[in-house]
Each structure stands twice: as structure tokens, then as C-alpha cells.
Amino acid sequence: MFEDLMRELKKMEREPVRISIEADEDGYFDRECPNEECEFQFKVMLDNWEDGFEGQYMHCPLCGTMASADHFWTKEHLDQMGRQATNYYAGRIGKAMSRDARKFNSRQSRKSFISMSLEYKGSTHVPALVPVEAAEEMRLKIVCEECKERFAVIGSAFFCPKCGHSSAVRMFKDALAKIEAKVEHLDRVVQAVAEVDKDAAELTRRSLLESGILDAVVAFQRVMEELYRVHPNAVKKIRQNAFQRLDDGSKLWQSAGQQTYCEILSESELGRLKGYFQRRHLLAHKEGIVDQHYLERSEESTYALGQRIVVRPEHVAELVALVRKLVTAYLPEGEAS
Ligand SMILES: [Zn+2]
Ligand SMILES: [Zn+2]
């Protein structure tokens, strides 16, 4: 009775639907991290993936999750493909069932006492499969310095989707951009919190500014360690946290045949930078309270023993500018921008 339907189902089993996905205007394909905690969306240029994504591994640019590249479909695309496939199959099944019903009805004997007829009420329309459109283009386009893979993200990226390389320089630039964003939007954030709780707003202001000092020094230390490590004249074993101490870091570069910090920054700039590094030490280890060690080493006389240091937006901005100036002087050509 359902010969057409059975035939159609067998045919469908043999020929899976193929729905193509379009690249965006810039030629990039949408991807999404399969790690449920992350789900970061990004885009890659298909040219660099010889046989498409099949059988290759991909890295999430944000969290570094590595998985088979065909696990990186975006939820939007899977939804759209699923909907299209369902409607398409439903249409083909409907068409076959309606043919079966017509055949059944035409075989009924008109002389019989009991008359039976079949009617199929579902849709018999088989929609055409259309390519799934790409999501909007992403502004930040990155080229991996290791494998030359081109990819696009929103905000920032740490890992190359193709080779997994994580760029210390990119992480440094990202960290500084994050600190600058915090300072730039400080008033707006504090105002929003103040509408709910005035005390919390002040704590938020202080915490955002102090974290700016802490983060800038950590970012500086990390990128300098990495830039030094890959330098051909670098000493293999250096003291822990050497680049947290400006004099030690400068000497390391000097012995590798590079400029010293004094040659890159003016005397007063270097003096202020040292002051910020000492304040970071107080914030990280002394809850911001001025100690004897700080008074002996720092050249400023703003604070007395036992006082708590105050971080202002212009301090954070100057620290960011100074570490950027120093780091830029040690970047390999082509990475300075
Ligand atoms: Zn991820
Ligand atoms: Zn790469």
C-alpha cells in the first residue's frame, strides 16, 4: 500500500542532502568553538584548508580547545541547515504519501458495499535547498605569524585556529587594549554601579584602576620573557621574574646586544616607570600600604610610611604608554604595528 513511500525512504537513505554554506563578503567562513563554556565565534579563510575542514584539526582562537574542524559549525548554521533538511524531507515524504493515497483510491472497487478512500493532508511541497548565508563580517583580521593562516574575530584572539600558535605579542597588545578600555569606560561603569550602590561604585572604581597597574606589569613581564627567550643571543636560564625588575631586564637585553631601557626611555620616563612597578609590588603583596622598602627605593615623596597608595586613571594610562614604548623597541620587524 505504501510502495511509493518505501521507495522514497530508501532513495533518501542513499542520497544525503547537501546544503552549502556561503562565505561572507570578505571571503571568511563562520566557525564556533565546540567547548560549551566558550562558544566563541570566529571566521577563517577557506583557502588555507586544502581539502576543506574535513579530517583536519582546528583550535579555538579564544580558549585554545582543539577538535576536529567539522565540530566547529555555528549553532545558527546548524539550525538553518536542520530546518531546511527537515522541510525538504517532509516534502518528499508528503509527495510520496499523497501518490500512494491516489493509487490506493484508484484501486478501490466501485461495486463494493464499503467504500474506503485515503487522503494525505500534509504538505507535498519540496522546497529547494538554498545556501546558508554567512554572518556579518568581523572587523579584526589576523594573520598567524607562524603558518600565515588568516582569520577574523571580534575583540581578541590568543590562538591561531590552524596551527594553535599563541602569540605573546598579540596577547600583550590585547592586555593593553583591555586596560585602556577599562580606563576609557571607567566613569560609565562606575555610574551604572552607583545607581544601585554608591559604596560598591567606589570599590569598583578603585578595583578597575588598581587592576590596570597589576595587569600592565604582568603583560609586560610575559611578553618580555617571550621576546627575550626567542632572541638568538639570549641566555638560556634567567632568574625567575627577571623582567619584573626593570634593571635586571635592561641588563639582560644589553648582554644580548640590544638597547638598554635608558636608551629607549628618557630618564624621567624610566623613573616614573620604576615608580609604577614599585606600586604594583605594594598592590600585589602589601595591600597597597607604603612600606619602608618602598620609601627607600622610590624617588617620590608623596607618601609616608603606612599610607595607602592611590591609583588615578592618568597613572594607568601613562604606565600603559611606557610599557608599550619599551616593548615596541624589542619587537621583530613587522610586528611593531
Ligand atoms: Zn573556545
Ligand atoms: Zn598559525
Side-chain angles (χ1 to χ4, degrees):
M1 182 164 129
F2 290 112
E3 301 90 355
D4 266 54
L5 176 62
M6 299 317 280
R7 213 175 304 130
E8 194 64 22
L9 287 174
K10 282 218 177 84
K11 238 164 91 185
M12 276 162 39
E13 241 173 64
R14 283 197 304 268
E15 1 165 310
V17 282
R18 288 203 181 274
I19 302 171
S20 56
I21 294 185
E22 287 183 337
D24 69 14
E25 297 236 313
D26 301 334
Y28 288 82
F29 278 88
D30 294 296
R31 310 266 70 199
E32 183 180 298
C33 173
N35 173 358
E36 281 174 17
E37 309 245 312
C38 177
E39 298 183 346
F40 183 67
Q41 295 201 344
F42 60 102
K43 287 166 177 270
V44 297
M45 188 66 94
L46 195 60
D47 296 359
N48 302 340
W49 301 78
E50 302 80 25
D51 309 310
F53 300 130
E54 235 161 271
Q56 304 207 47
Y57 279 95
M58 191 171 263
H59 304 257
C60 166
L62 187 67
C63 76
T65 290
M66 185 173 86
S68 157
D70 48 18
H71 283 74
F72 281 77
W73 299 109
T74 71
K75 269 189 284 316
E76 287 88 340
H77 280 177
L78 288 176
D79 276 2
Q80 282 189 46
M81 288 193 284
R83 236 175 297 134
Q84 277 204 53
T86 309
N87 292 340
Y88 173 79
Y89 281 133
R92 280 178 68 170
I93 290 171
K95 224 172 179 175
M97 285 178 79
S98 124
R99 276 200 303 270
D100 278 330
R102 270 203 310 277
K103 277 185 200 157
F104 176 83
N105 294 342
S106 68
R107 280 200 291 263
Q108 291 295 302
S109 158
R110 289 178 207 273
K111 287 175 192 155
S112 162
F113 285 112
I114 308 161
S115 124
M116 285 206 309
S117 81
L118 273 177
E119 188 188 354
Y120 174 74
K121 286 192 164 165
S123 165
T124 57
H125 169 66
V126 184
L129 296 168
V130 293
V132 176
E133 274 183 26
E136 212 182 308
E137 297 86 68
M138 294 177 176
R139 220 157 32 113
L140 183 58
K141 306 214 163 48
I142 298 171
V143 181
C144 171
E145 49 271 82
E146 280 296 310
C147 73
K148 307 290 172 237
E149 159 79 345
R150 283 190 288 166
F151 57 108
V153 294
I154 293 175
S156 60
F158 303 126
F159 304 96
C160 163
K162 192 151 170 69
C163 73
H165 172 68
S166 91
S167 158
V169 176
R170 211 163 52 225
M171 280 176 142
F172 171 72
K173 288 179 181 170
D174 177 76
L176 294 196
K178 228 159 35 188
I179 299 167
E180 284 177 320
K182 276 197 229 173
V183 175
E184 192 187 327
H185 300 288
L186 185 67
D187 289 339
R188 225 175 301 161
V189 174
V190 172
Q191 242 166 40
V193 180
E195 277 169 29
V196 189
D197 185 336
K198 285 213 165 73
D199 298 319
E202 262 327 290
L203 292 177
T204 305
R205 174 191 296 279
R206 215 166 67 200
S207 140
L208 285 175
L209 290 170
E210 290 178 0
S211 72
I213 300 276
L214 294 162
D215 295 348
V217 173
V218 170
F220 170 83
Q221 184 190 346
R222 280 220 196 104
V223 74
M224 281 304 212
E225 272 170 11
E226 187 56 24
L227 289 172
Y228 180 79
R229 192 183 64 81
V230 298
H231 193 277
N233 304 338
V235 180
K236 285 283 159 284
K237 256 194 142 104
I238 60 169
R239 279 175 64 199
Q240 217 190 346
N241 297 334
F243 284 97
Q244 226 178 65
R245 293 178 295 273
L246 289 165
D247 291 337
D248 291 4
S250 183
K251 275 184 205 136
L252 281 171
W253 281 119
Q254 190 178 26
S255 59
Q258 296 289 307
Q259 306 174 80
T260 61
Y261 294 171
C262 309
E263 291 170 281
I264 300 159
L265 300 180
S266 73
E267 207 183 316
S268 80
E269 282 178 328
L270 191 56
R272 286 202 302 282
L273 185 64
K274 282 182 185 168
Y276 292 131
F277 270 57
Q278 281 156 4
R279 287 178 196 202
R280 182 220 69 100
H281 181 83
L282 290 184
L283 288 169
H285 305 293
K286 307 279 170 184
E287 290 174 337
I289 305 295
V290 172
D291 60 6
Q292 194 57 42
H293 183 74
Y294 176 83
L295 290 178
E296 280 161 17
R297 301 195 66 182
S298 117
E299 288 153 21
E300 59 158 358
S301 51
T302 327
Y303 295 103
L305 190 69
Q307 274 191 299
R308 194 176 189 285
I309 58 156
V310 177
V311 180
R312 302 188 49 78
E314 53 272 29
H315 297 154
V316 182
E318 185 176 39
L319 171 60
V320 166
L322 290 173
V323 294
R324 180 178 281 137
K325 194 168 171 187
L326 264 190
V327 169
T328 306
Y330 297 100
L331 290 184
E333 254 170 74
E335 286 214 59
S337 58

